[in-house]
PDB file of all heavy atoms in Angstrom:
ATOM      1  N   TYR N   1      85.988 106.700 170.392  1.00 82.00           N
ATOM      2  CA  TYR N   1      85.741 108.084 170.324  1.00 82.00           C
ATOM      3  C   TYR N   1      86.640 108.821 169.213  1.00 82.00           C
ATOM      4  O   TYR N   1      86.134 109.728 168.647  1.00 82.00           O
ATOM      5  CB  TYR N   1      86.078 108.784 171.727  1.00 82.00           C
ATOM      6  CG  TYR N   1      85.211 108.160 172.763  1.00 82.00           C
ATOM      7  CD1 TYR N   1      85.692 107.170 173.724  1.00 82.00           C
ATOM      8  CD2 TYR N   1      83.932 108.552 172.962  1.00 82.00           C
ATOM      9  CE1 TYR N   1      84.904 106.595 174.620  1.00 82.00           C
ATOM     10  CE2 TYR N   1      83.128 107.992 173.987  1.00 82.00           C
ATOM     11  CZ  TYR N   1      83.616 107.021 174.797  1.00 82.00           C
ATOM     12  OH  TYR N   1      82.790 106.460 175.779  1.00 82.00           O
ATOM     13  N   TYR N   2      87.779 108.316 169.091  1.00 75.00           N
ATOM     14  CA  TYR N   2      88.649 108.886 167.919  1.00 75.00           C
ATOM     15  C   TYR N   2      88.002 108.639 166.588  1.00 75.00           C
ATOM     16  O   TYR N   2      88.072 109.444 165.752  1.00 75.00           O
ATOM     17  CB  TYR N   2      90.081 108.324 168.045  1.00 75.00           C
ATOM     18  CG  TYR N   2      90.698 108.541 169.443  1.00 75.00           C
ATOM     19  CD1 TYR N   2      91.348 107.482 170.064  1.00 75.00           C
ATOM     20  CD2 TYR N   2      90.568 109.727 170.139  1.00 75.00           C
ATOM     21  CE1 TYR N   2      91.974 107.628 171.314  1.00 75.00           C
ATOM     22  CE2 TYR N   2      91.128 109.876 171.419  1.00 75.00           C
ATOM     23  CZ  TYR N   2      91.776 108.792 171.947  1.00 75.00           C
ATOM     24  OH  TYR N   2      92.425 108.939 173.190  1.00 75.00           O
ATOM     25  N   GLU N   3      87.453 107.371 166.475  1.00 72.00           N
ATOM     26  CA  GLU N   3      86.824 107.002 165.278  1.00 72.00           C
ATOM     27  C   GLU N   3      85.565 107.966 164.915  1.00 72.00           C
ATOM     28  O   GLU N   3      85.355 108.332 163.871  1.00 72.00           O
ATOM     29  CB  GLU N   3      86.382 105.541 165.226  1.00 72.00           C
ATOM     30  CG  GLU N   3      87.566 104.595 165.154  1.00 72.00           C
ATOM     31  CD  GLU N   3      87.189 103.143 165.399  1.00 72.00           C
ATOM     32  OE1 GLU N   3      86.116 102.883 165.843  1.00 72.00           O
ATOM     33  OE2 GLU N   3      88.072 102.363 165.098  1.00 72.00           O
ATOM     34  N   LYS N   4      84.764 108.197 166.070  1.00 72.00           N
ATOM     35  CA  LYS N   4      83.700 109.101 165.875  1.00 72.00           C
ATOM     36  C   LYS N   4      84.058 110.550 165.534  1.00 72.00           C
ATOM     37  O   LYS N   4      83.451 111.195 164.720  1.00 72.00           O
ATOM     38  CB  LYS N   4      82.908 109.209 167.195  1.00 72.00           C
ATOM     39  CG  LYS N   4      82.123 107.997 167.602  1.00 72.00           C
ATOM     40  CD  LYS N   4      81.423 108.154 168.941  1.00 72.00           C
ATOM     41  CE  LYS N   4      80.664 106.890 169.440  1.00 72.00           C
ATOM     42  NZ  LYS N   4      80.087 107.117 170.681  1.00 72.00           N
ATOM     43  N   LEU N   5      85.233 110.941 166.061  1.00 68.00           N
ATOM     44  CA  LEU N   5      85.788 112.240 165.677  1.00 68.00           C
ATOM     45  C   LEU N   5      86.048 112.288 164.196  1.00 68.00           C
ATOM     46  O   LEU N   5      85.741 113.327 163.526  1.00 68.00           O
ATOM     47  CB  LEU N   5      87.037 112.475 166.492  1.00 68.00           C
ATOM     48  CG  LEU N   5      87.763 113.826 166.117  1.00 68.00           C
ATOM     49  CD1 LEU N   5      86.947 115.058 166.552  1.00 68.00           C
ATOM     50  CD2 LEU N   5      89.101 113.881 166.761  1.00 68.00           C
ATOM     51  N   VAL N   6      86.643 111.262 163.669  1.00 61.00           N
ATOM     52  CA  VAL N   6      87.042 111.275 162.232  1.00 61.00           C
ATOM     53  C   VAL N   6      85.820 111.241 161.283  1.00 61.00           C
ATOM     54  O   VAL N   6      85.746 111.965 160.331  1.00 61.00           O
ATOM     55  CB  VAL N   6      87.954 110.073 162.026  1.00 61.00           C
ATOM     56  CG1 VAL N   6      88.222 109.878 160.469  1.00 61.00           C
ATOM     57  CG2 VAL N   6      89.291 110.143 162.684  1.00 61.00           C
ATOM     58  N   VAL N   7      84.736 110.519 161.623  1.00 61.00           N
ATOM     59  CA  VAL N   7      83.616 110.434 160.800  1.00 61.00           C
ATOM     60  C   VAL N   7      82.504 111.456 161.107  1.00 61.00           C
ATOM     61  O   VAL N   7      81.506 111.506 160.372  1.00 61.00           O
ATOM     62  CB  VAL N   7      82.959 108.952 160.912  1.00 61.00           C
ATOM     63  CG1 VAL N   7      83.975 107.978 160.330  1.00 61.00           C
ATOM     64  CG2 VAL N   7      82.476 108.586 162.250  1.00 61.00           C
ATOM     65  N   ASN N   8      82.611 112.190 162.172  1.00 59.00           N
ATOM     66  CA  ASN N   8      81.606 113.263 162.524  1.00 59.00           C
ATOM     67  C   ASN N   8      81.567 114.317 161.493  1.00 59.00           C
ATOM     68  O   ASN N   8      82.604 114.944 161.173  1.00 59.00           O
ATOM     69  CB  ASN N   8      81.941 113.835 163.884  1.00 59.00           C
ATOM     70  CG  ASN N   8      81.007 114.861 164.293  1.00 59.00           C
ATOM     71  OD1 ASN N   8      80.099 115.344 163.663  1.00 59.00           O
ATOM     72  ND2 ASN N   8      81.173 115.241 165.632  1.00 59.00           N
ATOM     73  N   PRO N   9      80.353 114.556 160.913  1.00 51.00           N
ATOM     74  CA  PRO N   9      80.285 115.631 159.852  1.00 51.00           C
ATOM     75  C   PRO N   9      80.807 116.960 160.351  1.00 51.00           C
ATOM     76  O   PRO N   9      81.348 117.837 159.638  1.00 51.00           O
ATOM     77  CB  PRO N   9      78.813 115.704 159.505  1.00 51.00           C
ATOM     78  CG  PRO N   9      78.301 114.341 160.011  1.00 51.00           C
ATOM     79  CD  PRO N   9      79.160 113.963 161.145  1.00 51.00           C
ATOM     80  N   GLY N  10      80.605 117.257 161.625  1.00 57.00           N
ATOM     81  CA  GLY N  10      80.997 118.592 162.151  1.00 57.00           C
ATOM     82  C   GLY N  10      82.500 118.765 162.158  1.00 57.00           C
ATOM     83  O   GLY N  10      83.054 119.889 162.161  1.00 57.00           O
ATOM     84  N   THR N  11      83.294 117.693 162.175  1.00 54.00           N
ATOM     85  CA  THR N  11      84.714 117.781 162.162  1.00 54.00           C
ATOM     86  C   THR N  11      85.287 117.411 160.737  1.00 54.00           C
ATOM     87  O   THR N  11      86.506 117.351 160.545  1.00 54.00           O
ATOM     88  CB  THR N  11      85.338 116.725 163.231  1.00 54.00           C
ATOM     89  OG1 THR N  11      84.979 115.441 162.750  1.00 54.00           O
ATOM     90  CG2 THR N  11      84.909 117.042 164.580  1.00 54.00           C
ATOM     91  N   ASN N  12      84.529 117.275 159.830  1.00 59.00           N
ATOM     92  CA  ASN N  12      84.929 116.990 158.398  1.00 59.00           C
ATOM     93  C   ASN N  12      85.278 118.125 157.548  1.00 59.00           C
ATOM     94  O   ASN N  12      85.533 118.039 156.434  1.00 59.00           O
ATOM     95  CB  ASN N  12      83.949 116.004 157.674  1.00 59.00           C
ATOM     96  CG  ASN N  12      84.064 114.611 158.107  1.00 59.00           C
ATOM     97  OD1 ASN N  12      85.154 114.207 158.566  1.00 59.00           O
ATOM     98  ND2 ASN N  12      83.128 113.816 157.883  1.00 59.00           N
ATOM     99  N   LYS N  13      85.176 119.359 158.145  1.00 75.00           N
ATOM    100  CA  LYS N  13      85.575 120.588 157.334  1.00 75.00           C
ATOM    101  C   LYS N  13      87.074 120.535 157.190  1.00 75.00           C
ATOM    102  O   LYS N  13      87.728 120.227 158.196  1.00 75.00           O
ATOM    103  CB  LYS N  13      85.052 121.745 158.121  1.00 75.00           C
ATOM    104  CG  LYS N  13      83.465 121.826 158.064  1.00 75.00           C
ATOM    105  CD  LYS N  13      83.032 123.090 158.873  1.00 75.00           C
ATOM    106  CE  LYS N  13      81.508 123.026 158.920  1.00 75.00           C
ATOM    107  NZ  LYS N  13      81.030 123.387 160.226  1.00 75.00           N
ATOM    108  N   LEU N  14      87.518 120.900 156.051  1.00 81.00           N
ATOM    109  CA  LEU N  14      88.936 120.943 155.819  1.00 81.00           C
ATOM    110  C   LEU N  14      89.530 122.347 156.059  1.00 81.00           C
ATOM    111  O   LEU N  14      88.989 123.348 155.492  1.00 81.00           O
ATOM    112  CB  LEU N  14      89.232 120.462 154.405  1.00 81.00           C
ATOM    113  CG  LEU N  14      88.922 118.998 154.134  1.00 81.00           C
ATOM    114  CD1 LEU N  14      89.160 118.731 152.676  1.00 81.00           C
ATOM    115  CD2 LEU N  14      89.752 118.112 154.977  1.00 81.00           C
ATOM    116  N   SER N  15      90.542 122.464 156.881  1.00 85.00           N
ATOM    117  CA  SER N  15      91.262 123.771 157.120  1.00 85.00           C
ATOM    118  C   SER N  15      91.925 124.134 155.874  1.00 85.00           C
ATOM    119  O   SER N  15      92.169 123.410 154.939  1.00 85.00           O
ATOM    120  CB  SER N  15      92.216 123.628 158.263  1.00 85.00           C
ATOM    121  OG  SER N  15      93.205 122.754 157.896  1.00 85.00           O
ATOM    122  N   GLN N  16      92.379 125.420 155.867  1.00 88.00           N
ATOM    123  CA  GLN N  16      93.174 126.028 154.758  1.00 88.00           C
ATOM    124  C   GLN N  16      94.534 125.088 154.573  1.00 88.00           C
ATOM    125  O   GLN N  16      94.891 124.779 153.541  1.00 88.00           O
ATOM    126  CB  GLN N  16      93.536 127.390 154.988  1.00 88.00           C
ATOM    127  CG  GLN N  16      94.226 128.079 153.841  1.00 88.00           C
ATOM    128  CD  GLN N  16      93.467 128.145 152.541  1.00 88.00           C
ATOM    129  OE1 GLN N  16      92.309 128.344 152.522  1.00 88.00           O
ATOM    130  NE2 GLN N  16      94.175 128.066 151.461  1.00 88.00           N
ATOM    131  N   ALA N  17      95.084 124.808 155.808  1.00 89.00           N
ATOM    132  CA  ALA N  17      96.324 124.011 155.740  1.00 89.00           C
ATOM    133  C   ALA N  17      96.120 122.589 155.102  1.00 89.00           C
ATOM    134  O   ALA N  17      96.956 122.125 154.395  1.00 89.00           O
ATOM    135  CB  ALA N  17      96.902 123.878 157.150  1.00 89.00           C
ATOM    136  N   ALA N  18      94.933 122.061 155.441  1.00 89.00           N
ATOM    137  CA  ALA N  18      94.621 120.725 154.927  1.00 89.00           C
ATOM    138  C   ALA N  18      94.423 120.817 153.298  1.00 89.00           C
ATOM    139  O   ALA N  18      94.861 119.965 152.655  1.00 89.00           O
ATOM    140  CB  ALA N  18      93.325 120.124 155.600  1.00 89.00           C
ATOM    141  N   LEU N  19      93.726 121.814 152.956  1.00 90.00           N
ATOM    142  CA  LEU N  19      93.490 122.014 151.510  1.00 90.00           C
ATOM    143  C   LEU N  19      94.822 122.304 150.740  1.00 90.00           C
ATOM    144  O   LEU N  19      95.009 121.630 149.749  1.00 90.00           O
ATOM    145  CB  LEU N  19      92.583 123.220 151.290  1.00 90.00           C
ATOM    146  CG  LEU N  19      91.082 123.003 151.651  1.00 90.00           C
ATOM    147  CD1 LEU N  19      90.314 124.307 151.643  1.00 90.00           C
ATOM    148  CD2 LEU N  19      90.392 121.958 150.848  1.00 90.00           C
ATOM    149  N   GLU N  20      95.772 122.984 151.343  1.00 91.00           N
ATOM    150  CA  GLU N  20      97.026 123.228 150.795  1.00 91.00           C
ATOM    151  C   GLU N  20      97.796 121.933 150.647  1.00 91.00           C
ATOM    152  O   GLU N  20      98.359 121.634 149.590  1.00 91.00           O
ATOM    153  CB  GLU N  20      97.870 124.283 151.596  1.00 91.00           C
ATOM    154  CG  GLU N  20      97.323 125.639 151.512  1.00 91.00           C
ATOM    155  CD  GLU N  20      98.006 126.590 152.479  1.00 91.00           C
ATOM    156  OE1 GLU N  20      99.016 126.194 153.085  1.00 91.00           O
ATOM    157  OE2 GLU N  20      97.546 127.748 152.578  1.00 91.00           O
ATOM    158  N   THR N  21      97.727 121.186 151.657  1.00 92.00           N
ATOM    159  CA  THR N  21      98.463 119.913 151.735  1.00 92.00           C
ATOM    160  C   THR N  21      97.902 118.925 150.728  1.00 92.00           C
ATOM    161  O   THR N  21      98.657 118.320 150.006  1.00 92.00           O
ATOM    162  CB  THR N  21      98.411 119.343 153.170  1.00 92.00           C
ATOM    163  OG1 THR N  21      99.049 120.288 154.039  1.00 92.00           O
ATOM    164  CG2 THR N  21      99.271 118.027 153.167  1.00 92.00           C
ATOM    165  N   LEU N  22      96.609 118.843 150.618  1.00 92.00           N
ATOM    166  CA  LEU N  22      95.905 117.979 149.618  1.00 92.00           C
ATOM    167  C   LEU N  22      96.319 118.452 148.206  1.00 92.00           C
ATOM    168  O   LEU N  22      96.571 117.550 147.395  1.00 92.00           O
ATOM    169  CB  LEU N  22      94.416 118.018 149.830  1.00 92.00           C
ATOM    170  CG  LEU N  22      93.904 117.172 151.002  1.00 92.00           C
ATOM    171  CD1 LEU N  22      92.371 117.473 151.211  1.00 92.00           C
ATOM    172  CD2 LEU N  22      94.106 115.662 150.764  1.00 92.00           C
ATOM    173  N   ALA N  23      96.303 119.721 147.992  1.00 91.00           N
ATOM    174  CA  ALA N  23      96.734 120.255 146.606  1.00 91.00           C
ATOM    175  C   ALA N  23      98.175 119.793 146.248  1.00 91.00           C
ATOM    176  O   ALA N  23      98.435 119.365 145.208  1.00 91.00           O
ATOM    177  CB  ALA N  23      96.500 121.738 146.614  1.00 91.00           C
ATOM    178  N   ILE N  24      99.005 119.949 147.243  1.00 93.00           N
ATOM    179  CA  ILE N  24     100.421 119.602 147.018  1.00 93.00           C
ATOM    180  C   ILE N  24     100.445 118.099 146.651  1.00 93.00           C
ATOM    181  O   ILE N  24     101.209 117.630 145.677  1.00 93.00           O
ATOM    182  CB  ILE N  24     101.293 119.926 148.234  1.00 93.00           C
ATOM    183  CG1 ILE N  24     101.443 121.387 148.313  1.00 93.00           C
ATOM    184  CG2 ILE N  24     102.695 119.204 148.065  1.00 93.00           C
ATOM    185  CD1 ILE N  24     102.046 121.822 149.691  1.00 93.00           C
ATOM    186  N   ILE N  25      99.805 117.308 147.371  1.00 93.00           N
ATOM    187  CA  ILE N  25      99.863 115.803 147.139  1.00 93.00           C
ATOM    188  C   ILE N  25      99.163 115.462 145.815  1.00 93.00           C
ATOM    189  O   ILE N  25      99.691 114.652 145.020  1.00 93.00           O
ATOM    190  CB  ILE N  25      99.278 115.102 148.360  1.00 93.00           C
ATOM    191  CG1 ILE N  25     100.110 115.274 149.517  1.00 93.00           C
ATOM    192  CG2 ILE N  25      99.141 113.577 148.008  1.00 93.00           C
ATOM    193  CD1 ILE N  25      99.319 114.916 150.812  1.00 93.00           C
ATOM    194  N   ALA N  26      98.021 116.047 145.604  1.00 92.00           N
ATOM    195  CA  ALA N  26      97.285 115.729 144.391  1.00 92.00           C
ATOM    196  C   ALA N  26      98.113 115.998 143.133  1.00 92.00           C
ATOM    197  O   ALA N  26      98.085 115.249 142.173  1.00 92.00           O
ATOM    198  CB  ALA N  26      95.951 116.585 144.363  1.00 92.00           C
ATOM    199  N   TYR N  27      98.817 117.175 143.114  1.00 92.00           N
ATOM    200  CA  TYR N  27      99.554 117.571 141.953  1.00 92.00           C
ATOM    201  C   TYR N  27     101.002 116.904 141.915  1.00 92.00           C
ATOM    202  O   TYR N  27     101.667 117.035 140.816  1.00 92.00           O
ATOM    203  CB  TYR N  27      99.715 119.039 141.804  1.00 92.00           C
ATOM    204  CG  TYR N  27      98.428 119.789 141.362  1.00 92.00           C
ATOM    205  CD1 TYR N  27      97.568 120.299 142.340  1.00 92.00           C
ATOM    206  CD2 TYR N  27      98.092 119.799 140.033  1.00 92.00           C
ATOM    207  CE1 TYR N  27      96.344 120.928 141.844  1.00 92.00           C
ATOM    208  CE2 TYR N  27      96.936 120.428 139.561  1.00 92.00           C
ATOM    209  CZ  TYR N  27      96.079 120.951 140.541  1.00 92.00           C
ATOM    210  OH  TYR N  27      94.958 121.545 140.011  1.00 92.00           O
ATOM    211  N   ASN N  28     101.427 116.318 142.977  1.00 93.00           N
ATOM    212  CA  ASN N  28     102.786 115.733 143.027  1.00 93.00           C
ATOM    213  C   ASN N  28     102.829 114.341 143.368  1.00 93.00           C
ATOM    214  O   ASN N  28     103.946 113.822 143.684  1.00 93.00           O
ATOM    215  CB  ASN N  28     103.584 116.576 144.001  1.00 93.00           C
ATOM    216  CG  ASN N  28     103.824 118.072 143.495  1.00 93.00           C
ATOM    217  OD1 ASN N  28     104.508 118.292 142.583  1.00 93.00           O
ATOM    218  ND2 ASN N  28     103.123 118.917 144.177  1.00 93.00           N
ATOM    219  N   GLN N  29     101.696 113.569 143.337  1.00 91.00           N
ATOM    220  CA  GLN N  29     101.745 112.256 143.947  1.00 91.00           C
ATOM    221  C   GLN N  29     102.407 111.271 142.985  1.00 91.00           C
ATOM    222  O   GLN N  29     102.422 111.424 141.842  1.00 91.00           O
ATOM    223  CB  GLN N  29     100.369 111.791 144.257  1.00 91.00           C
ATOM    224  CG  GLN N  29      99.333 111.868 143.032  1.00 91.00           C
ATOM    225  CD  GLN N  29      98.006 111.549 143.502  1.00 91.00           C
ATOM    226  OE1 GLN N  29      97.645 110.770 144.334  1.00 91.00           O
ATOM    227  NE2 GLN N  29      97.040 112.347 142.994  1.00 91.00           N
ATOM    228  N   PRO N  30     103.010 110.231 143.626  1.00 93.00           N
ATOM    229  CA  PRO N  30     103.175 110.010 145.029  1.00 93.00           C
ATOM    230  C   PRO N  30     104.338 110.873 145.566  1.00 93.00           C
ATOM    231  O   PRO N  30     105.236 111.173 144.849  1.00 93.00           O
ATOM    232  CB  PRO N  30     103.560 108.497 145.032  1.00 93.00           C
ATOM    233  CG  PRO N  30     104.295 108.154 143.690  1.00 93.00           C
ATOM    234  CD  PRO N  30     103.574 109.127 142.736  1.00 93.00           C
ATOM    235  N   ILE N  31     104.225 111.242 146.829  1.00 93.00           N
ATOM    236  CA  ILE N  31     105.099 112.185 147.510  1.00 93.00           C
ATOM    237  C   ILE N  31     105.395 111.824 148.897  1.00 93.00           C
ATOM    238  O   ILE N  31     104.439 111.230 149.552  1.00 93.00           O
ATOM    239  CB  ILE N  31     104.523 113.649 147.273  1.00 93.00           C
ATOM    240  CG1 ILE N  31     105.545 114.715 147.796  1.00 93.00           C
ATOM    241  CG2 ILE N  31     103.238 113.686 147.950  1.00 93.00           C
ATOM    242  CD1 ILE N  31     105.103 116.101 147.396  1.00 93.00           C
ATOM    243  N   THR N  32     106.570 112.141 149.440  1.00 93.00           N
ATOM    244  CA  THR N  32     106.848 111.878 150.852  1.00 93.00           C
ATOM    245  C   THR N  32     106.480 112.998 151.730  1.00 93.00           C
ATOM    246  O   THR N  32     106.312 114.166 151.240  1.00 93.00           O
ATOM    247  CB  THR N  32     108.380 111.641 151.066  1.00 93.00           C
ATOM    248  OG1 THR N  32     109.103 112.755 150.739  1.00 93.00           O
ATOM    249  CG2 THR N  32     108.864 110.412 150.180  1.00 93.00           C
ATOM    250  N   ILE N  33     106.364 112.742 153.000  1.00 92.00           N
ATOM    251  CA  ILE N  33     106.059 113.858 153.941  1.00 92.00           C
ATOM    252  C   ILE N  33     107.164 114.879 153.915  1.00 92.00           C
ATOM    253  O   ILE N  33     106.836 116.108 153.947  1.00 92.00           O
ATOM    254  CB  ILE N  33     105.850 113.253 155.385  1.00 92.00           C
ATOM    255  CG1 ILE N  33     104.513 112.583 155.414  1.00 92.00           C
ATOM    256  CG2 ILE N  33     105.857 114.443 156.403  1.00 92.00           C
ATOM    257  CD1 ILE N  33     104.168 111.889 156.772  1.00 92.00           C
ATOM    258  N   SER N  34     108.432 114.538 153.829  1.00 92.00           N
ATOM    259  CA  SER N  34     109.463 115.479 153.859  1.00 92.00           C
ATOM    260  C   SER N  34     109.395 116.368 152.660  1.00 92.00           C
ATOM    261  O   SER N  34     109.660 117.575 152.653  1.00 92.00           O
ATOM    262  CB  SER N  34     110.827 114.817 153.980  1.00 92.00           C
ATOM    263  OG  SER N  34     111.086 113.914 152.920  1.00 92.00           O
ATOM    264  N   GLU N  35     108.995 115.788 151.497  1.00 93.00           N
ATOM    265  CA  GLU N  35     108.886 116.675 150.255  1.00 93.00           C
ATOM    266  C   GLU N  35     107.673 117.566 150.470  1.00 93.00           C
ATOM    267  O   GLU N  35     107.764 118.797 150.054  1.00 93.00           O
ATOM    268  CB  GLU N  35     108.618 115.833 149.053  1.00 93.00           C
ATOM    269  CG  GLU N  35     109.840 114.948 148.715  1.00 93.00           C
ATOM    270  CD  GLU N  35     109.562 113.975 147.663  1.00 93.00           C
ATOM    271  OE1 GLU N  35     108.420 113.264 147.687  1.00 93.00           O
ATOM    272  OE2 GLU N  35     110.434 113.689 146.831  1.00 93.00           O
ATOM    273  N   ILE N  36     106.573 117.169 151.051  1.00 93.00           N
ATOM    274  CA  ILE N  36     105.488 118.078 151.361  1.00 93.00           C
ATOM    275  C   ILE N  36     105.883 119.147 152.272  1.00 93.00           C
ATOM    276  O   ILE N  36     105.540 120.378 152.072  1.00 93.00           O
ATOM    277  CB  ILE N  36     104.339 117.217 151.918  1.00 93.00           C
ATOM    278  CG1 ILE N  36     103.820 116.190 150.976  1.00 93.00           C
ATOM    279  CG2 ILE N  36     103.058 118.225 152.343  1.00 93.00           C
ATOM    280  CD1 ILE N  36     102.943 115.079 151.571  1.00 93.00           C
ATOM    281  N   ASN N  37     106.539 118.772 153.308  1.00 92.00           N
ATOM    282  CA  ASN N  37     107.050 119.799 154.395  1.00 92.00           C
ATOM    283  C   ASN N  37     108.011 120.853 153.637  1.00 92.00           C
ATOM    284  O   ASN N  37     107.852 121.997 154.007  1.00 92.00           O
ATOM    285  CB  ASN N  37     107.822 119.105 155.431  1.00 92.00           C
ATOM    286  CG  ASN N  37     106.971 118.252 156.330  1.00 92.00           C
ATOM    287  OD1 ASN N  37     105.820 118.268 156.293  1.00 92.00           O
ATOM    288  ND2 ASN N  37     107.592 117.426 157.113  1.00 92.00           N
ATOM    289  N   GLU N  38     108.751 120.378 152.739  1.00 92.00           N
ATOM    290  CA  GLU N  38     109.627 121.285 151.983  1.00 92.00           C
ATOM    291  C   GLU N  38     108.943 122.299 151.190  1.00 92.00           C
ATOM    292  O   GLU N  38     109.174 123.490 151.207  1.00 92.00           O
ATOM    293  CB  GLU N  38     110.611 120.489 151.187  1.00 92.00           C
ATOM    294  CG  GLU N  38     111.702 121.365 150.608  1.00 92.00           C
ATOM    295  CD  GLU N  38     112.735 120.525 149.779  1.00 92.00           C
ATOM    296  OE1 GLU N  38     113.075 119.415 150.197  1.00 92.00           O
ATOM    297  OE2 GLU N  38     113.229 121.045 148.806  1.00 92.00           O
ATOM    298  N   ILE N  39     107.838 121.825 150.451  1.00 92.00           N
ATOM    299  CA  ILE N  39     107.056 122.679 149.661  1.00 92.00           C
ATOM    300  C   ILE N  39     106.212 123.661 150.564  1.00 92.00           C
ATOM    301  O   ILE N  39     106.224 124.843 150.248  1.00 92.00           O
ATOM    302  CB  ILE N  39     106.026 121.919 148.768  1.00 92.00           C
ATOM    303  CG1 ILE N  39     106.872 121.094 147.773  1.00 92.00           C
ATOM    304  CG2 ILE N  39     105.122 122.791 148.143  1.00 92.00           C
ATOM    305  CD1 ILE N  39     106.114 120.045 146.947  1.00 92.00           C
ATOM    306  N   ARG N  40     105.612 123.159 151.598  1.00 90.00           N
ATOM    307  CA  ARG N  40     104.772 124.016 152.440  1.00 90.00           C
ATOM    308  C   ARG N  40     105.554 124.898 153.386  1.00 90.00           C
ATOM    309  O   ARG N  40     105.085 125.913 153.810  1.00 90.00           O
ATOM    310  CB  ARG N  40     103.784 123.170 153.308  1.00 90.00           C
ATOM    311  CG  ARG N  40     102.585 122.633 152.574  1.00 90.00           C
ATOM    312  CD  ARG N  40     101.423 122.450 153.315  1.00 90.00           C
ATOM    313  NE  ARG N  40     100.874 123.596 153.888  1.00 90.00           N
ATOM    314  CZ  ARG N  40     100.456 123.785 155.141  1.00 90.00           C
ATOM    315  NH1 ARG N  40     100.640 122.843 156.039  1.00 90.00           N
ATOM    316  NH2 ARG N  40     100.013 124.887 155.577  1.00 90.00           N
ATOM    317  N   GLY N  41     106.793 124.403 153.788  1.00 89.00           N
ATOM    318  CA  GLY N  41     107.565 125.164 154.677  1.00 89.00           C
ATOM    319  C   GLY N  41     107.253 124.999 156.214  1.00 89.00           C
ATOM    320  O   GLY N  41     107.678 125.693 157.009  1.00 89.00           O
ATOM    321  N   VAL N  42     106.322 123.966 156.438  1.00 90.00           N
ATOM    322  CA  VAL N  42     105.942 123.709 157.857  1.00 90.00           C
ATOM    323  C   VAL N  42     105.793 122.152 157.936  1.00 90.00           C
ATOM    324  O   VAL N  42     105.673 121.455 156.895  1.00 90.00           O
ATOM    325  CB  VAL N  42     104.605 124.400 158.224  1.00 90.00           C
ATOM    326  CG1 VAL N  42     104.811 125.877 158.222  1.00 90.00           C
ATOM    327  CG2 VAL N  42     103.385 123.945 157.384  1.00 90.00           C
ATOM    328  N   GLN N  43     105.865 121.690 159.181  1.00 88.00           N
ATOM    329  CA  GLN N  43     105.621 120.295 159.384  1.00 88.00           C
ATOM    330  C   GLN N  43     104.156 119.886 159.162  1.00 88.00           C
ATOM    331  O   GLN N  43     103.288 120.575 159.510  1.00 88.00           O
ATOM    332  CB  GLN N  43     105.896 119.896 160.872  1.00 88.00           C
ATOM    333  CG  GLN N  43     107.402 120.025 161.255  1.00 88.00           C
ATOM    334  CD  GLN N  43     108.224 118.926 160.480  1.00 88.00           C
ATOM    335  OE1 GLN N  43     107.831 117.805 160.445  1.00 88.00           O
ATOM    336  NE2 GLN N  43     109.325 119.334 159.876  1.00 88.00           N
ATOM    337  N   THR N  44     103.940 118.814 158.498  1.00 88.00           N
ATOM    338  CA  THR N  44     102.591 118.360 158.158  1.00 88.00           C
ATOM    339  C   THR N  44     102.284 116.911 158.704  1.00 88.00           C
ATOM    340  O   THR N  44     101.245 116.358 158.278  1.00 88.00           O
ATOM    341  CB  THR N  44     102.398 118.432 156.588  1.00 88.00           C
ATOM    342  OG1 THR N  44     103.387 117.571 156.017  1.00 88.00           O
ATOM    343  CG2 THR N  44     102.464 119.757 156.030  1.00 88.00           C
TER     344      THR N  44
END
């Protein structure tokens, strides 16, 4: 069921938080979670 959730087109929309996180990673890769958290200011 968790696998279906991940591949379900209805759940494949990216939230604003997901887009921000992807942008941080894309421009700073490779990067650690703690570095991402520091940039975003929230736990990711």
Side-chain angles (χ1 to χ4, degrees):
Y1 299 100
Y2 307 134
E3 290 171 346
K4 287 179 185 177
L5 176 68
V6 172
V7 298
N8 180 350
T11 61
N12 277 340
K13 295 180 182 133
L14 295 175
S15 66
Q16 185 66 33
L19 291 170
E20 289 172 9
T21 303
L22 282 171
I24 290 167
I25 295 166
Y27 284 99
N28 297 285
Q29 60 189 315
I31 187 169
T32 66
I33 288 180
S34 60
E35 292 169 324
I36 298 164
N37 292 345
E38 188 175 324
I39 294 169
R40 283 207 67 230
V42 295
Q43 291 292 317
T44 57

